[in-house]
């Protein structure tokens, strides 16, 4: 290429890329650098359904107590509900349930007599936190492998909270004649039942 042609190229604004830059790299890192994942979703507070008001009787659709009817005590953040059986009626204790797996009925129970301080305490995240297991190592752990695990004992504080909530709920349930049997009965579908046409 003549010197005149190269001078014309530089005048036009074209850049010459050196041959060394065009060649592929000789070495690549053995492990790829981890880059933080970009999350563009915004965390919005969960808005409960209009039918999920405190005191409403719910039907559980999933979990250990599926088919049981429970009383809603409080709406917790992130779409979680605090419910109870009461325990004396159908064996459902104070527990948290996902709002997606419940059916709200038109039946309501008066929960104004329930102590709000107990409900606030039970509704906290620390109340349902699991206890850390202490790892046993050595001869004791080796000889205890074949033994049956000890049955879990309910903490006395939890039992007292359950009793105080149940006492207030049972007093209001006694005012309605068929609420006891309604909450004690489990919900199930039979052949020919059409749940989309039912009014709960």
């Amino acid at each position: 290429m003549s010197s005149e042609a190269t001078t014309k190229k530089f005048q036009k604004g074209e850049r010459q890329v050196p041959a060394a830059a065009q060649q592929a790299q000789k070495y690549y890192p053995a492990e790829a650098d981890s880059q933080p994942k970009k999350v563009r979703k915004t965390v919005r507070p969960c808005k409960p359904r209009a039918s999920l008001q405190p005191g409403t009787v719910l039907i559980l659709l999933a979990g250990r107590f599926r088919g049981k009817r429970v009383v809603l005590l409080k709406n917790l953040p992130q779409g979680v509900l605090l419910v109870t059986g009461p325990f004396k009626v159908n064996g459902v204790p104070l527990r948290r349930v996902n709002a997606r797996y419940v059916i709200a009925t038109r039946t309501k129970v008066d929960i104004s007599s329930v102590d709000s301080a107990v409900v606030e305490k039970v509704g906290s995240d620390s109340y349902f936190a699991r206890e850390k297991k202490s790892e046993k190592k050595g001869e004791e752990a080796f000889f205890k492998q074949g033994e049956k695990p000890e049955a879990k004992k309910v903490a006395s504080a939890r039992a007292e909270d359950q009793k105080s909530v149940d006492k207030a709920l049972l007093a209001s349930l006694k005012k309605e004649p068929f609420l006891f049997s309604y909450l004690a009965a489990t919900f199930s579908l039979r052949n020919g039942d059409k749940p989309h046409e039912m009014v709960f």
Side-chain angles (χ1 to χ4, degrees), residues 42-110:
T42 55
V43 179
R44 296 187 180 92
C46 184
K47 187 179 179 183
R49 282 178 275 166
S51 57
L52 297 176
Q53 298 297 327
T56 307
V57 175
L58 310 175
I59 299 170
L60 302 182
L61 300 177
R64 181 183 169 192
F65 300 103
R66 59 183 173 274
K68 299 274 188 179
R69 293 181 173 93
V70 293
V71 180
L72 173 61
L73 296 176
K74 187 183 178 185
N75 284 301
L76 302 176
Q78 300 304 320
V80 183
L81 310 172
L82 179 66
V83 299
T84 185
F87 184 75
K88 278 197 171 182
V89 178
N90 55 20
V92 182
L94 287 162
R95 62 187 288 112
R96 295 180 298 182
V97 177
N98 194 325
R100 293 181 180 183
Y101 302 110
V102 298
I103 296 174
T105 65
R106 294 188 297 175
T107 309
K108 289 204 171 187
V109 178
D110 182 23

Side-chain angles (χ1 to χ4, degrees), residues 31-199:
E31 296 179 1
D33 295 333
S34 60
Q35 295 179 348
K37 187 180 178 183
K38 292 180 181 178
V39 180
R40 292 184 176 86
K41 293 179 181 178
T42 55
V43 179
R44 296 187 180 92
C46 184
K47 187 179 179 183
R49 282 178 275 166
S51 57
L52 297 176
Q53 298 297 327
T56 307
V57 175
L58 310 175
I59 299 170
L60 302 182
L61 300 177
R64 181 183 169 192
F65 300 103
R66 59 183 173 274
K68 299 274 188 179
R69 293 181 173 93
V70 293
V71 180
L72 173 61
L73 296 176
K74 187 183 178 185
N75 284 301
L76 302 176
Q78 300 304 320
V80 183
L81 310 172
L82 179 66
V83 299
T84 185
F87 184 75
K88 278 197 171 182
V89 178
N90 55 20
V92 182
L94 287 162
R95 62 187 288 112
R96 295 180 298 182
V97 177
N98 194 325
R100 293 181 180 183
Y101 302 110
V102 298
I103 296 174
T105 65
R106 294 188 297 175
T107 309
K108 289 204 171 187
V109 178
D110 182 23
I111 60 167
S112 57
S113 56
V114 178
D115 190 3
S116 58
V118 175
V119 174
E120 286 292 329
K121 183 176 81 170
V122 175
S124 62
D125 290 335
S126 58
Y127 190 85
F128 291 99
R130 292 183 180 179
E131 296 178 0
K132 291 182 179 180
K133 293 182 179 178
S134 57
E135 295 181 1
K136 295 180 180 179
K137 294 182 180 179
E139 293 180 4
E140 291 182 14
F142 179 77
F143 287 110
K144 284 188 176 181
Q145 283 179 355
E147 296 178 8
K148 291 182 180 179
E150 294 179 2
K152 288 184 179 179
K153 294 181 180 179
V154 180
S156 58
R158 280 200 176 195
E160 289 298 322
D161 295 338
Q162 185 71 58
K163 284 178 183 177
S164 65
V165 172
D166 280 8
K167 187 178 180 181
L169 282 176
L170 290 171
S172 59
L173 289 176
K174 285 176 183 176
K175 296 175 184 177
E176 295 290 333
F178 300 109
L179 264 181
F180 264 98
S181 56
Y182 177 70
L183 288 170
T186 55
F187 172 79
S188 61
L189 293 173
R190 297 180 180 84
N191 289 338
D193 287 347
K194 298 176 181 178
H196 60 282
E197 293 181 358
M198 291 182 179
V199 178

